Amino acid sequence: MPKSKKTPAVTSEKPSLKDITIRICMGTGGLAAGSREVMDAFHSELRSRNLKAAIINKCVTKTGCRGFCAKDVLVDVIISNAKTTYQFVDPEKAARIVEEHIINGRPVEEWVVGPEYHAFHNSETKILLKQCGEIDPEDINAYIAIGGYRGLEKALSQTPFEVREEVKSSGLRGRGGAGFPTGLKWEFCSMSKVAIKYLICNADEGDPGAFMDRAVIEGNPHSVLEGMIIAGYAIGAKKGFIYIRAEYPLAIERLKIAINAAEQKGFIGKDIIGSGFDFDISIKQGAGAFVCGEETALIASIEGKRGMPRSKPPFPVSKGLWGKPTVVNNVETLATIPVIMSQGAKWYSSIGTEKSKGTKIFALTGNIKNTGLIEVPLGISLREIIYDIGGGCDKGRRFKAVLTGGPSGGCIPESHIDMPVDYESLSEIGSMMGSGGMVVMDETSCMVDMAKFFLSFTTNESCGKCLPCRLGNKRLYEILNRITQGQGKAGDIEFLLSLAEDIKISSLCGLGQTAPNPVLSTIRFFRDEYEAHIYEHRCPAGVCKAFRKYLIDPEVCKMCGKCFKACKSGAVAWEKKQPAVIYREKCVKCGACYDVCPFGAIT
Amino acid sequence: MSDHKVKIKINGTEICCNRGDTILKAARMAGVRIPTLCHDDRLEPYGGCRLCSVEVKGVPRLLPACTTPVARKMEVITESETITRIRKRIVSLMLSNHPNDCMRCEKAGECALQDLAYQYGVDGSEYGGERWDLPIRQANPFIVYDPNKCVTCGRCIRICNEVVMAGTIDWVGRGFHTYPDTAFRKPRSLSNCEFCGQCVSTCPTGALIDKKGRGKGRVNELTRVKTTCGYCGTGCNFFLNVKDGKVVKVTSDYDAPVNHGNLCIKGRYGYEFIHSADRIKTPLIRRGDSFHEATWDEALDLIADKFTGLIKKYGNKSVGAFSSSRCTNEENFLIAKFARTVFRNNNVDNCARV
Ligand SMILES: Cc1cc2nc3c(=O)[nH]c(=O)nc-3n(C[C@H](O)[C@H](O)[C@H](O)COP(=O)(O)O)c2cc1C
Ligand code: SF4
Ligand code: SF4
Ligand code: SF4
């Protein structure tokens, strides 16, 4: 990644095609934005200029997601090591880029990414995403060329005990949610005397808005495979499963290609690189239930049962898949292993805080300028993430809170924006790391409505097995709904708090235990908003429709007539140069006028 | 202390239990009562209802006693303010999605949910909110399923899959809308149901009831008579439920040594012959083309005469004993013994021979 924010100087010499690389982002985000068409356009543009197809295929490469999906399709043109990145490329733009930049050596300045692209990437510390967006994920040689499978070689030259110790001393903690030390989990599993053991890579990734696991698999599938083989060796498993949701067809395809290639190279199968160690990997597709990301539900699902969690203990490390000791690790966790093996635990543990080592990928979404995937060292402050990388809230609005940890995480208010992002600090404040979702909310968000929104997700995704989650969260949701509808009662807040607390301590699995978090944390930090809804019958952010009066303030009204045009019920009366008026008897409270008024004249 | 024994503390008292036992089992052996709902000794532990939640020292959450294995030096508390609060919460949540029409419910008086509501003094009225309004299923001759009364303990599902292995029912839906049903919610009769009624026998509420006994009397009006099934030689025990001298239904005897309350369709639902007008109540002797009622003495004398005559004329090898699979083991034993000691031969057989 060039640190210079300037585009390379115009070269007078015509470069030979050998020095040219065109890299096109082909992650699911890029593909959705049309990167395949862009790639075709580059191919045909180069071809129409009579250049040999073989060279063209080589110089136009596809890559995985590079994170900054808000600017897709992103295309790198690299001429003699000078890289120019274009944003929002579409097939029409390909011709001009080829003509002006590749043939004539003058980059098309107006389409080149702006400073925010570099700001987005420069504040990051990339370990896992480093190769995503740089190498062709469907080519094992590209991975080997950048040092791939060297971690495996090193691991196989050591004893499983030594490998476990290395991972233990790296301080790596599970990236799937709970943050359990990975080396310790491996040790527990290896202690079992049962001969058959299993390793499962958890690629279910059910958190709405989270797509880091997908990005890692699509961008660098071999890193996950390499991590799995090392993990298998360390715990004594000969069989690994990748549990991945069927909604990730591209990731599945790339995994299949990668597994095949790794088998052919002798990294998977019998007697891996002459070490005597055998390891196989199978893909198991899930039907996309959120709860199937929970390890015991995931195991039930692989066994062919309905994906429902079971009580722990016994933990999977002693009784897992088909009753055998099993390690379940997240994609990101496993993809980190080869790096730890090749670069050493000492190097890895130099990144991060005392108890939270290394980097973590977050999915930055919501009311923020730069949305996308970011990889940052743990311990970084929320402020750096939201302002330096995320660019602050969109449309110049004020930042209000950020929800970390996915739908069952907690809301962190502006007053805590300087807190470090690590496992302990997040759970202290009533949130969690989760899988790394970050939803940013600005002043236009109603916190009661937010809590209701996230709870509706977990309530619908509850597997229904245990009572506190199935009915408790449902009742919690109904009370929140009542409050947002203007039917809150005195005592509701206290009732919510006690019900939420009971659900947390008595639910069976992590889903139920954490589902009330958004409710608890919004009450903790935004109790005044709840009170405004219940006692003053108003929604401070103006989100909850039930509180709107649908009155036009003639003093504020600029007589533009937009509300008149928006109303489908004929309830707005307006004439040129007259303030508009809403007839209550005709108004159906749909909110159309409220949404279009540019001046906030409607309350 | 041997290797497979561990010492734990329950409510401060040290007890010795088997490694691998659950907290629930250890507590029961020590005479400590822990309430349960989704637990049935015939089934694998489940941990769904959370009523058996207990405190374990060092664990911040409550743990279900029914699934948690004991561990060395574990310290368990089975009653505390928090635990009672949680149990109350659970029962009242259950009742918040329940018709609460005990007055006309078949199960009243032997319903686990009713007992829990009484014990914890809750009625679920503090919640309001949505309640199920699902159609009642009765498109079959034996079982009525009212899902609105279901507390989703999953016992019916587990007995159908773990014990009967019929796989007729499983969970359908998700979240609030999760309940047991057949695939595609077809009538049970179209979903390879064996009508063993095992699901009915384990249901703690009035969600699953026997159709034939419906409206014929509730538990306090019935006399339970323990008996052994007459259909086959397994020797399952059950209770005939009698009202006004009539058998109105069969219920499980969970303590029965042979079948632990399990029954098949014949034992559970095949009792109508008892009061059938066509039932043969005395031995019949054939004279000419027709049968004539006789006393047992007459019948047995006749049989003895005929056997003696045959043996005299053709030798003892010419006769044998052929008994029925509907006889009990003891009866089959007796008939074999009879052949060997009286006929003095080994000509013994049974219709269940395969
Ligand atoms: C409701 C629920 C959903 C989960 N979803 C995921 C998931 O999508 N991916 C994941 O890796 N872990 C998920 N987890 C965490 C897993 O249960 C498990 O802890 C994790 O895969 C262990 O891997 P790690 O030690 O590498 O983090 C989920 C947990 C819960 C309770
Ligand atoms: S907490 Fe929710 S998702 Fe987890 S087992 Fe209970 S009902 Fe299922
Ligand atoms: S009657 Fe027997 S087979 Fe039918 S659903 Fe119930 S347990 Fe299953
Ligand atoms: S029908 Fe009865 S046994 Fe089945 S889950 Fe519901 S309450 Fe439990």
PDB file of all heavy atoms in Angstrom, chain A residues 134-159:
ATOM      1  N   GLU A 134      -4.816  -8.355  -2.790  1.00  0.00           N
ATOM      2  CA  GLU A 134      -3.493  -8.291  -3.407  1.00  0.00           C
ATOM      3  C   GLU A 134      -3.221  -9.520  -4.269  1.00  0.00           C
ATOM      4  O   GLU A 134      -2.607  -9.424  -5.310  1.00  0.00           O
ATOM      5  CB  GLU A 134      -2.402  -8.202  -2.314  1.00  0.00           C
ATOM      6  CG  GLU A 134      -2.503  -6.958  -1.458  1.00  0.00           C
ATOM      7  CD  GLU A 134      -1.954  -5.711  -2.143  1.00  0.00           C
ATOM      8  OE1 GLU A 134      -0.941  -5.808  -2.833  1.00  0.00           O
ATOM      9  OE2 GLU A 134      -2.562  -4.626  -1.987  1.00  0.00           O
ATOM     10  N   ILE A 135      -3.683 -10.698  -3.790  1.00  0.00           N
ATOM     11  CA  ILE A 135      -3.374 -11.910  -4.548  1.00  0.00           C
ATOM     12  C   ILE A 135      -4.626 -12.505  -5.167  1.00  0.00           C
ATOM     13  O   ILE A 135      -5.738 -12.222  -4.740  1.00  0.00           O
ATOM     14  CB  ILE A 135      -2.703 -12.991  -3.659  1.00  0.00           C
ATOM     15  CG1 ILE A 135      -3.632 -13.367  -2.490  1.00  0.00           C
ATOM     16  CG2 ILE A 135      -1.356 -12.509  -3.158  1.00  0.00           C
ATOM     17  CD1 ILE A 135      -3.182 -14.620  -1.773  1.00  0.00           C
ATOM     18  N   ASP A 136      -4.411 -13.341  -6.176  1.00  0.00           N
ATOM     19  CA  ASP A 136      -5.528 -14.055  -6.790  1.00  0.00           C
ATOM     20  C   ASP A 136      -5.891 -15.220  -5.875  1.00  0.00           C
ATOM     21  O   ASP A 136      -5.101 -16.153  -5.701  1.00  0.00           O
ATOM     22  CB  ASP A 136      -5.097 -14.572  -8.167  1.00  0.00           C
ATOM     23  CG  ASP A 136      -6.239 -15.307  -8.867  1.00  0.00           C
ATOM     24  OD1 ASP A 136      -7.251 -15.604  -8.198  1.00  0.00           O
ATOM     25  OD2 ASP A 136      -6.124 -15.576 -10.067  1.00  0.00           O
ATOM     26  N   PRO A 137      -7.096 -15.172  -5.262  1.00  0.00           N
ATOM     27  CA  PRO A 137      -7.452 -16.194  -4.279  1.00  0.00           C
ATOM     28  C   PRO A 137      -7.635 -17.582  -4.895  1.00  0.00           C
ATOM     29  O   PRO A 137      -7.720 -18.573  -4.180  1.00  0.00           O
ATOM     30  CB  PRO A 137      -8.772 -15.684  -3.690  1.00  0.00           C
ATOM     31  CG  PRO A 137      -9.329 -14.763  -4.716  1.00  0.00           C
ATOM     32  CD  PRO A 137      -8.164 -14.179  -5.455  1.00  0.00           C
ATOM     33  N   GLU A 138      -7.720 -17.645  -6.227  1.00  0.00           N
ATOM     34  CA  GLU A 138      -7.941 -18.955  -6.839  1.00  0.00           C
ATOM     35  C   GLU A 138      -6.640 -19.595  -7.318  1.00  0.00           C
ATOM     36  O   GLU A 138      -6.660 -20.595  -8.011  1.00  0.00           O
ATOM     37  CB  GLU A 138      -8.961 -18.808  -7.980  1.00  0.00           C
ATOM     38  CG  GLU A 138     -10.325 -18.420  -7.426  1.00  0.00           C
ATOM     39  CD  GLU A 138     -11.400 -18.209  -8.470  1.00  0.00           C
ATOM     40  OE1 GLU A 138     -11.179 -18.589  -9.635  1.00  0.00           O
ATOM     41  OE2 GLU A 138     -12.442 -17.657  -8.114  1.00  0.00           O
ATOM     42  N   ASP A 139      -5.538 -18.976  -6.943  1.00  0.00           N
ATOM     43  CA  ASP A 139      -4.261 -19.491  -7.403  1.00  0.00           C
ATOM     44  C   ASP A 139      -3.379 -19.804  -6.199  1.00  0.00           C
ATOM     45  O   ASP A 139      -2.886 -18.906  -5.510  1.00  0.00           O
ATOM     46  CB  ASP A 139      -3.602 -18.424  -8.299  1.00  0.00           C
ATOM     47  CG  ASP A 139      -2.253 -18.882  -8.821  1.00  0.00           C
ATOM     48  OD1 ASP A 139      -1.878 -20.057  -8.569  1.00  0.00           O
ATOM     49  OD2 ASP A 139      -1.573 -18.064  -9.463  1.00  0.00           O
ATOM     50  N   ILE A 140      -3.168 -21.093  -5.949  1.00  0.00           N
ATOM     51  CA  ILE A 140      -2.389 -21.482  -4.766  1.00  0.00           C
ATOM     52  C   ILE A 140      -0.944 -20.985  -4.870  1.00  0.00           C
ATOM     53  O   ILE A 140      -0.314 -20.647  -3.873  1.00  0.00           O
ATOM     54  CB  ILE A 140      -2.443 -23.018  -4.536  1.00  0.00           C
ATOM     55  CG1 ILE A 140      -1.830 -23.392  -3.168  1.00  0.00           C
ATOM     56  CG2 ILE A 140      -1.750 -23.783  -5.652  1.00  0.00           C
ATOM     57  CD1 ILE A 140      -2.052 -24.826  -2.750  1.00  0.00           C
ATOM     58  N   ASN A 141      -0.438 -20.884  -6.113  1.00  0.00           N
ATOM     59  CA  ASN A 141       0.947 -20.431  -6.284  1.00  0.00           C
ATOM     60  C   ASN A 141       1.115 -18.979  -5.844  1.00  0.00           C
ATOM     61  O   ASN A 141       2.175 -18.599  -5.360  1.00  0.00           O
ATOM     62  CB  ASN A 141       1.390 -20.613  -7.731  1.00  0.00           C
ATOM     63  CG  ASN A 141       1.505 -22.098  -8.055  1.00  0.00           C
ATOM     64  OD1 ASN A 141       2.006 -22.871  -7.247  1.00  0.00           O
ATOM     65  ND2 ASN A 141       0.995 -22.490  -9.207  1.00  0.00           N
ATOM     66  N   ALA A 142       0.056 -18.204  -6.041  1.00  0.00           N
ATOM     67  CA  ALA A 142       0.126 -16.811  -5.593  1.00  0.00           C
ATOM     68  C   ALA A 142       0.278 -16.768  -4.081  1.00  0.00           C
ATOM     69  O   ALA A 142       1.027 -15.954  -3.536  1.00  0.00           O
ATOM     70  CB  ALA A 142      -1.134 -16.062  -6.015  1.00  0.00           C
ATOM     71  N   TYR A 143      -0.420 -17.677  -3.399  1.00  0.00           N
ATOM     72  CA  TYR A 143      -0.323 -17.733  -1.931  1.00  0.00           C
ATOM     73  C   TYR A 143       1.060 -18.231  -1.507  1.00  0.00           C
ATOM     74  O   TYR A 143       1.681 -17.673  -0.597  1.00  0.00           O
ATOM     75  CB  TYR A 143      -1.426 -18.638  -1.379  1.00  0.00           C
ATOM     76  CG  TYR A 143      -1.455 -18.756   0.132  1.00  0.00           C
ATOM     77  CD1 TYR A 143      -1.720 -17.640   0.924  1.00  0.00           C
ATOM     78  CD2 TYR A 143      -1.217 -19.971   0.767  1.00  0.00           C
ATOM     79  CE1 TYR A 143      -1.742 -17.740   2.307  1.00  0.00           C
ATOM     80  CE2 TYR A 143      -1.243 -20.077   2.145  1.00  0.00           C
ATOM     81  CZ  TYR A 143      -1.507 -18.963   2.914  1.00  0.00           C
ATOM     82  OH  TYR A 143      -1.537 -19.064   4.279  1.00  0.00           O
ATOM     83  N   ILE A 144       1.541 -19.249  -2.208  1.00  0.00           N
ATOM     84  CA  ILE A 144       2.857 -19.796  -1.845  1.00  0.00           C
ATOM     85  C   ILE A 144       3.943 -18.745  -2.093  1.00  0.00           C
ATOM     86  O   ILE A 144       4.875 -18.602  -1.296  1.00  0.00           O
ATOM     87  CB  ILE A 144       3.143 -21.094  -2.648  1.00  0.00           C
ATOM     88  CG1 ILE A 144       2.152 -22.173  -2.193  1.00  0.00           C
ATOM     89  CG2 ILE A 144       4.576 -21.567  -2.446  1.00  0.00           C
ATOM     90  CD1 ILE A 144       2.189 -23.447  -2.999  1.00  0.00           C
ATOM     91  N   ALA A 145       3.766 -17.967  -3.175  1.00  0.00           N
ATOM     92  CA  ALA A 145       4.773 -16.955  -3.529  1.00  0.00           C
ATOM     93  C   ALA A 145       4.951 -15.908  -2.439  1.00  0.00           C
ATOM     94  O   ALA A 145       6.031 -15.343  -2.273  1.00  0.00           O
ATOM     95  CB  ALA A 145       4.401 -16.289  -4.844  1.00  0.00           C
ATOM     96  N   ILE A 146       3.872 -15.647  -1.668  1.00  0.00           N
ATOM     97  CA  ILE A 146       4.020 -14.644  -0.615  1.00  0.00           C
ATOM     98  C   ILE A 146       4.301 -15.310   0.735  1.00  0.00           C
ATOM     99  O   ILE A 146       4.076 -14.726   1.790  1.00  0.00           O
ATOM    100  CB  ILE A 146       2.778 -13.743  -0.515  1.00  0.00           C
ATOM    101  CG1 ILE A 146       1.525 -14.605  -0.386  1.00  0.00           C
ATOM    102  CG2 ILE A 146       2.655 -12.827  -1.727  1.00  0.00           C
ATOM    103  CD1 ILE A 146       0.479 -14.033   0.503  1.00  0.00           C
ATOM    104  N   GLY A 147       4.770 -16.528   0.691  1.00  0.00           N
ATOM    105  CA  GLY A 147       5.169 -17.182   1.947  1.00  0.00           C
ATOM    106  C   GLY A 147       4.122 -18.123   2.509  1.00  0.00           C
ATOM    107  O   GLY A 147       4.247 -18.582   3.648  1.00  0.00           O
ATOM    108  N   GLY A 148       3.089 -18.421   1.732  1.00  0.00           N
ATOM    109  CA  GLY A 148       2.026 -19.308   2.194  1.00  0.00           C
ATOM    110  C   GLY A 148       2.528 -20.723   2.432  1.00  0.00           C
ATOM    111  O   GLY A 148       3.469 -21.173   1.775  1.00  0.00           O
ATOM    112  N   TYR A 149       1.922 -21.395   3.350  1.00  0.00           N
ATOM    113  CA  TYR A 149       2.213 -22.774   3.756  1.00  0.00           C
ATOM    114  C   TYR A 149       3.602 -22.923   4.388  1.00  0.00           C
ATOM    115  O   TYR A 149       4.043 -24.024   4.658  1.00  0.00           O
ATOM    116  CB  TYR A 149       2.019 -23.764   2.589  1.00  0.00           C
ATOM    117  CG  TYR A 149       0.540 -23.968   2.302  1.00  0.00           C
ATOM    118  CD1 TYR A 149      -0.055 -23.429   1.176  1.00  0.00           C
ATOM    119  CD2 TYR A 149      -0.262 -24.668   3.206  1.00  0.00           C
ATOM    120  CE1 TYR A 149      -1.420 -23.576   0.942  1.00  0.00           C
ATOM    121  CE2 TYR A 149      -1.623 -24.831   2.981  1.00  0.00           C
ATOM    122  CZ  TYR A 149      -2.191 -24.271   1.843  1.00  0.00           C
ATOM    123  OH  TYR A 149      -3.526 -24.417   1.634  1.00  0.00           O
ATOM    124  N   ARG A 150       4.287 -21.796   4.636  1.00  0.00           N
ATOM    125  CA  ARG A 150       5.558 -21.914   5.325  1.00  0.00           C
ATOM    126  C   ARG A 150       5.309 -22.094   6.825  1.00  0.00           C
ATOM    127  O   ARG A 150       6.060 -22.760   7.513  1.00  0.00           O
ATOM    128  CB  ARG A 150       6.418 -20.679   5.075  1.00  0.00           C
ATOM    129  CG  ARG A 150       7.859 -21.083   4.869  1.00  0.00           C
ATOM    130  CD  ARG A 150       8.640 -20.101   4.042  1.00  0.00           C
ATOM    131  NE  ARG A 150       8.202 -20.016   2.669  1.00  0.00           N
ATOM    132  CZ  ARG A 150       8.417 -18.960   1.891  1.00  0.00           C
ATOM    133  NH1 ARG A 150       9.013 -17.893   2.376  1.00  0.00           N
ATOM    134  NH2 ARG A 150       8.024 -18.972   0.639  1.00  0.00           N
ATOM    135  N   GLY A 151       4.207 -21.501   7.316  1.00  0.00           N
ATOM    136  CA  GLY A 151       3.831 -21.695   8.717  1.00  0.00           C
ATOM    137  C   GLY A 151       3.555 -23.163   8.983  1.00  0.00           C
ATOM    138  O   GLY A 151       3.907 -23.709  10.027  1.00  0.00           O
ATOM    139  N   LEU A 152       2.907 -23.821   8.012  1.00  0.00           N
ATOM    140  CA  LEU A 152       2.603 -25.249   8.163  1.00  0.00           C
ATOM    141  C   LEU A 152       3.889 -26.062   8.211  1.00  0.00           C
ATOM    142  O   LEU A 152       4.053 -26.943   9.050  1.00  0.00           O
ATOM    143  CB  LEU A 152       1.709 -25.717   7.001  1.00  0.00           C
ATOM    144  CG  LEU A 152       1.429 -27.220   6.943  1.00  0.00           C
ATOM    145  CD1 LEU A 152       0.637 -27.663   8.166  1.00  0.00           C
ATOM    146  CD2 LEU A 152       0.680 -27.596   5.670  1.00  0.00           C
ATOM    147  N   GLU A 153       4.790 -25.734   7.289  1.00  0.00           N
ATOM    148  CA  GLU A 153       6.065 -26.459   7.273  1.00  0.00           C
ATOM    149  C   GLU A 153       6.754 -26.351   8.623  1.00  0.00           C
ATOM    150  O   GLU A 153       7.246 -27.330   9.166  1.00  0.00           O
ATOM    151  CB  GLU A 153       6.987 -25.852   6.205  1.00  0.00           C
ATOM    152  CG  GLU A 153       6.837 -26.501   4.853  1.00  0.00           C
ATOM    153  CD  GLU A 153       7.637 -25.775   3.785  1.00  0.00           C
ATOM    154  OE1 GLU A 153       8.725 -25.254   4.108  1.00  0.00           O
ATOM    155  OE2 GLU A 153       7.144 -25.703   2.646  1.00  0.00           O
ATOM    156  N   LYS A 154       6.741 -25.132   9.143  1.00  0.00           N
ATOM    157  CA  LYS A 154       7.404 -24.908  10.422  1.00  0.00           C
ATOM    158  C   LYS A 154       6.701 -25.697  11.532  1.00  0.00           C
ATOM    159  O   LYS A 154       7.359 -26.332  12.365  1.00  0.00           O
ATOM    160  CB  LYS A 154       7.366 -23.414  10.737  1.00  0.00           C
ATOM    161  CG  LYS A 154       8.393 -23.015  11.769  1.00  0.00           C
ATOM    162  CD  LYS A 154       8.602 -21.518  11.757  1.00  0.00           C
ATOM    163  CE  LYS A 154       9.271 -21.049  13.026  1.00  0.00           C
ATOM    164  NZ  LYS A 154       9.139 -19.615  13.202  1.00  0.00           N
ATOM    165  N   ALA A 155       5.374 -25.674  11.520  1.00  0.00           N
ATOM    166  CA  ALA A 155       4.611 -26.383  12.547  1.00  0.00           C
ATOM    167  C   ALA A 155       4.926 -27.867  12.508  1.00  0.00           C
ATOM    168  O   ALA A 155       5.137 -28.509  13.540  1.00  0.00           O
ATOM    169  CB  ALA A 155       3.122 -26.141  12.356  1.00  0.00           C
ATOM    170  N   LEU A 156       4.961 -28.430  11.285  1.00  0.00           N
ATOM    171  CA  LEU A 156       5.174 -29.869  11.172  1.00  0.00           C
ATOM    172  C   LEU A 156       6.589 -30.275  11.577  1.00  0.00           C
ATOM    173  O   LEU A 156       6.837 -31.446  11.865  1.00  0.00           O
ATOM    174  CB  LEU A 156       4.871 -30.337   9.747  1.00  0.00           C
ATOM    175  CG  LEU A 156       3.389 -30.246   9.328  1.00  0.00           C
ATOM    176  CD1 LEU A 156       3.215 -30.689   7.888  1.00  0.00           C
ATOM    177  CD2 LEU A 156       2.500 -31.077  10.242  1.00  0.00           C
ATOM    178  N   SER A 157       7.491 -29.315  11.604  1.00  0.00           N
ATOM    179  CA  SER A 157       8.844 -29.653  12.037  1.00  0.00           C
ATOM    180  C   SER A 157       8.947 -29.628  13.559  1.00  0.00           C
ATOM    181  O   SER A 157       9.970 -29.967  14.134  1.00  0.00           O
ATOM    182  CB  SER A 157       9.849 -28.674  11.422  1.00  0.00           C
ATOM    183  OG  SER A 157       9.683 -27.404  12.030  1.00  0.00           O
ATOM    184  N   GLN A 158       7.858 -29.152  14.207  1.00  0.00           N
ATOM    185  CA  GLN A 158       7.846 -29.144  15.672  1.00  0.00           C
ATOM    186  C   GLN A 158       6.897 -30.221  16.181  1.00  0.00           C
ATOM    187  O   GLN A 158       6.157 -30.823  15.416  1.00  0.00           O
ATOM    188  CB  GLN A 158       7.348 -27.780  16.188  1.00  0.00           C
ATOM    189  CG  GLN A 158       8.187 -26.615  15.703  1.00  0.00           C
ATOM    190  CD  GLN A 158       7.599 -25.282  16.143  1.00  0.00           C
ATOM    191  OE1 GLN A 158       6.571 -25.221  16.779  1.00  0.00           O
ATOM    192  NE2 GLN A 158       8.272 -24.206  15.783  1.00  0.00           N
ATOM    193  N   THR A 159       6.875 -30.432  17.522  1.00  0.00           N
ATOM    194  CA  THR A 159       5.904 -31.365  18.082  1.00  0.00           C
ATOM    195  C   THR A 159       4.585 -30.620  18.263  1.00  0.00           C
ATOM    196  O   THR A 159       4.590 -29.385  18.384  1.00  0.00           O
ATOM    197  CB  THR A 159       6.346 -31.883  19.461  1.00  0.00           C
ATOM    198  OG1 THR A 159       6.385 -30.757  20.349  1.00  0.00           O
ATOM    199  CG2 THR A 159       7.714 -32.540  19.406  1.00  0.00           C
TER     200      THR A 159
END
